[in-house]
Amino acid sequence: MTILVTATSGHLGSLVVESLLTRGADPATIVASARDTSKLAELAARGIRTVELDYARPETIAPALEGVDTVLLVSGTDFGSRAAQHQNVIDAAKAAGVTKLVYTSATRATTADFAVAPEHKATEEAIAASGIPAVIVRNNWYTENYAADVARAAETGVIASSAGEGRVASASRVDFAEAAAVVLLEDGHIGQVYELAGDVVWNYSELAAAASEVVGREVTYVSLSTEEHVAALEGFGLDAGTAGFVAAIDAGIRNGVLAESDGTLSRLIGRPTTPLVEGLRAVVSVPAAAA
């Protein structure tokens, strides 16, 4: 079995490759892809085949899939263009006879009123329509998403959000990457849609408490209205569209989109998910003066 991992120069894709190796995959059976293969030199030096694959350039996708049985499609980052770009990969995978397609989707993608959900919903529907045997892994929020907020709190003592009392079942990227490796390597997952989330569901007051531990000073949570949040983001230099999108994500959190956890992630990976404080500490660099 040959496994291709897309977006391997990114955070999640690179961790999936490491998880595959840790779980015993032969480097010769892994194909690492990226838009810029120069970023994959370290993997190539370890005996992993590297290929160019750009979701937006279909002419790069078919050659990358030659001889590949299994594909991990890591969702893209070009918001607004992702569904079409994912479709390019799905079409090429079908033409190549791929026998397992794993896609990293979002929590409750087909039913949630959430700013990031529509493109994931469209992609899941395209995968179903393609007929390719597939596994959908719907990843809850990455703890790493809060690294910048916590680093800023080292200076300000504040985490501000319009998420209200909404709760988040985050986990670290390494947890989600390990789950992806499991379903890539193991039989028996075809047709499953896994809602993956951290073991502990927290609110933003608890995030502030975790940040306090990480940065070594008291951090408080300031709850903003959506309008206040948009104004603050624009004050930081975001354009109105981006500020509105970020605030809309918080509205989804406020309404409970990310608040569910049933232990599926920890069962798949065979261990508890990374605790919030530990996950933040791994990615937040605190200036010596702040610490």
Side-chain angles (χ1 to χ4, degrees):
M1 179 177 66
T2 301
I3 300 170
L4 181 141
V5 179
T6 67
T8 317
S9 60
H11 296 297
L12 183 65
S14 62
L15 289 171
V16 172
V17 171
E18 295 300 330
S19 292
L20 289 170
L21 294 170
T22 298
R23 287 181 170 269
D26 184 339
T29 66
I30 300 172
V31 181
S33 73
R35 286 180 291 190
D36 180 358
T37 56
S38 70
K39 296 180 179 179
L40 305 179
E42 182 180 343
L43 293 178
R46 296 163 68 184
I48 293 172
R49 180 159 67 96
T50 63
V51 295
E52 180 186 11
L53 193 158
D54 185 338
Y55 298 167
R57 296 171 55 226
E59 68 273 15
T60 69
I61 303 173
L65 293 178
E66 290 180 6
V68 169
D69 306 294
T70 298
V71 172
L72 174 66
L73 173 54
V74 176
S75 57
T77 56
D78 293 336
F79 293 97
S81 301
R82 295 193 295 176
Q85 292 178 3
H86 296 163
Q87 185 72 62
N88 291 336
V89 179
I90 295 163
D91 291 343
K94 181 175 182 179
V98 165
T99 56
K100 182 192 286 186
L101 176 63
V102 180
Y103 174 61
T104 63
S105 190
T107 299
R108 295 158 53 193
T110 56
T111 58
D113 180 12
F114 197 33
V116 302
E119 289 180 298
H120 289 294
K121 179 176 185 290
T123 301
E124 289 193 24
E125 291 171 346
I127 292 170
S130 75
I132 302 171
V135 188
I136 306 298
V137 288
R138 292 178 174 168
N139 293 347
N140 199 293
W141 234 219
Y142 302 136
T143 295
E144 289 86 347
N145 290 350
Y146 296 96
D149 296 296
V150 174
R152 191 179 305 114
E155 300 294 333
T156 66
V158 167
I159 288 178
S161 166
S162 55
E165 294 304 311
R167 302 183 73 82
V168 179
S170 76
S172 292
R173 278 197 186 95
V174 67
D175 302 329
F176 294 110
E178 193 170 339
V182 168
V183 300
L184 288 166
L185 290 169
E186 292 183 353
D187 295 329
H189 299 285
I190 294 295
Q192 296 297 313
V193 177
Y194 291 122
E195 296 282 356
L196 303 182
D199 295 332
V200 177
V201 185
W202 49 263
N203 62 25
Y204 276 66
S205 294
E206 291 164 325
L207 173 64
S212 298
E213 290 190 48
V214 172
V215 304
R217 63 167 293 178
E218 183 179 0
V219 176
T220 58
Y221 168 47
V222 175
S223 182
L224 305 174
S225 69
T226 296
E227 293 74 20
E228 289 170 335
H229 195 188
V230 169
L233 292 168
E234 290 178 342
F236 290 137
L238 295 186
D239 62 84
T242 303
F245 181 74
V246 172
I249 289 174
D250 273 15
I253 294 172
R254 185 171 65 243
N255 293 329
V257 168
L258 300 180
E260 296 181 11
S261 176
D262 64 3
T264 298
L265 176 54
S266 55
R267 285 194 295 273
L268 274 177
I269 64 180
R271 60 169 176 80
T273 59
T274 306
L276 179 60
V277 169
E278 183 180 327
L280 291 172
R281 189 169 280 132
V283 294
V284 176
S285 297
V286 181

